Amino acid sequence: MLRWSRVPVLRKVEPFVVAILSAVLVAALLPAGGAVATGFSWGTTVGVGVLFLLYGARMAPAEAVAGLRNWRLQGSVAATTYLLFPLLGTGLALVVGHVLDDGLVAGLLFLCALPSTVQSCVVFTAVAHGNVPGAVVSATVSNLAGIGLTPVLAALLLGSTGAGPDAGAIGRIVLQLLVPFLLGLLLGRWIGDWVRAHKARLTLLDRGVIVAVVYAAFSRGVRQGVWSEVTPAEVLVVLGCAALLLAVVLTFAWWVPRWWGASRADRVTTAFCGSTKSLATGLPMATVLFPPHVVGLVVLPVILYHPLQTTVCSFLAGRLGRQR
């Protein structure tokens, strides 16, 4: 029987999930308004820019180049993240679109366009005795590509939902995400070692910004009456869709690589890097891509998927690790 405390990621992620759910509850009871809402809006805009600057500074170019040589592994992860997920999401949207609010449908599709996690998928891979260097590179490349691919995929997938990115989304992506990220890459030569050495402390900053983003987004939805239109049944449908996505992708990413002779270590890496979706990247990006009045609904599927992937992947990682 798996002892949850033996999986390191659970000890790190669980307080974060609690903080996010607490932010949702506080927003429902005490939504920010007036000057407070304006302050949160400016603060989260600056905070998101700082996050992406740090993401750029953390990258180790030499390690990325070395890991890219395993092109079959990287191709498998990329195809799972940016082809399989969007295809599955499109199919789900056709099935449940008539029973869900447009904002929730947009959230499911947006979830499918997100890059993989960084920290979690590497830890899962390590616990399951997978290809850890390959996981590091896959996660890094996935998030780097996501800055450009996620907005494009979101625009393509959400064109008919009525809740897609607005006309100014590309400009905001460039100014708030891409420019800070490229600046971080340039500064990495001087501050990269310091940023990587203080990763634990800077992670608190990451989490704090994301919790603030959640509070601001849900506060906006409460003030505008968005949540009065969402029923418990719709939340259950979204949760069921998230579980189905995770189950199908995990199955595909574990068994299909056997067709081209992938090693067990690479299959582990493909499964965990291909099936996880980044909350840390998704929530800030949603505030940039989507109009303020739908952000609260759009991020709900992402928030529900995160604890689900953490619980399931932690169990699988522990089981695979014991088998090894």
Side-chain angles (χ1 to χ4, degrees):
M1 181 177 181
L2 174 64
R3 295 183 181 180
W4 299 99
S5 60
R6 291 184 179 180
V7 183
V9 71
L10 285 180
R11 296 196 296 269
K12 296 179 181 179
V13 174
E14 186 174 300
F16 180 39
V17 174
V18 171
I20 288 175
L21 295 178
S22 299
V24 173
L25 179 61
V26 173
L29 299 175
L30 299 170
V36 176
T38 302
F40 264 99
S41 178
W42 280 100
T44 53
T45 298
V46 173
V48 167
V50 172
L51 287 188
F52 278 81
L53 186 146
L54 293 175
Y55 292 159
R58 285 174 188 163
M59 286 192 65
E63 186 179 50
V65 170
L68 285 172
R69 293 173 183 170
N70 190 345
W71 61 270
R72 286 187 175 179
L73 171 62
Q74 305 308 329
S76 298
V77 174
T80 303
T81 302
Y82 292 117
L83 288 178
L84 178 62
F85 255 112
L87 288 174
L88 292 174
T90 301
L92 273 179
L94 293 175
V95 174
V96 302
H98 65 287
V99 298
L100 292 180
D101 184 278
D102 284 347
L104 293 176
V105 176
L108 281 173
L109 293 170
F110 176 64
L111 168 68
C112 293
L114 288 177
S116 68
T117 59
V118 177
Q119 180 183 4
S120 298
C121 69
V122 174
V123 174
F124 293 143
T125 301
V127 171
H129 300 289
N131 183 343
V132 175
V136 172
V137 175
S138 293
T140 303
V141 171
S142 177
N143 279 263
L144 176 59
I147 295 176
L149 281 178
T150 296
V152 172
L153 283 173
L156 292 174
L157 295 173
L158 300 172
S160 62
T161 65
D166 59 22
I170 299 301
R172 293 196 301 272
I173 282 289
V174 172
L175 290 177
Q176 295 184 39
L177 304 184
L178 185 58
V179 170
F181 184 83
L182 293 176
L183 180 61
L185 284 177
L186 293 174
L187 294 176
R189 178 177 178 183
W190 296 281
I191 67 173
D193 290 339
W194 182 87
V195 170
R196 287 186 287 272
H198 294 81
K199 183 178 179 180
R201 293 181 181 179
L202 292 174
T203 296
L204 293 177
L205 173 64
D206 293 356
R207 301 307 187 235
V209 171
I210 293 165
V211 171
V213 166
V214 171
Y215 175 72
F218 276 77
S219 291
R220 233 180 268 118
V222 171
R223 292 198 314 273
Q224 295 170 354
V226 171
W227 291 102
S228 63
E229 303 173 6
V230 178
T231 65
E234 287 182 304
V235 175
L236 289 176
V237 170
V238 172
L239 187 59
C241 290
L244 181 61
L245 282 170
L246 181 60
V248 172
V249 172
L250 276 172
T251 302
F252 179 94
W254 175 252
W255 290 109
V256 171
R258 294 187 66 180
W259 294 353
W260 53 82
S263 66
R264 177 194 180 278
D266 283 356
R267 289 167 63 203
V268 167
T269 303
T270 302
F272 291 129
C273 291
S275 65
T276 55
K277 290 293 185 177
S278 177
L279 185 73
T281 300
L283 295 187
M285 192 173 283
T287 65
V288 178
L289 279 174
F290 294 93
H293 67 279
V294 299
V295 170
L297 288 178
V298 169
V299 300
L300 181 61
V302 183
I303 291 174
L304 292 176
Y305 190 83
H306 183 80
L308 186 65
Q309 73 181 9
T310 300
T311 303
V312 173
C313 291
S314 295
F315 173 81
L316 291 177
R319 183 171 181 177
L320 289 170
R322 291 196 308 276
Q323 290 177 348
R324 181 64 174 173

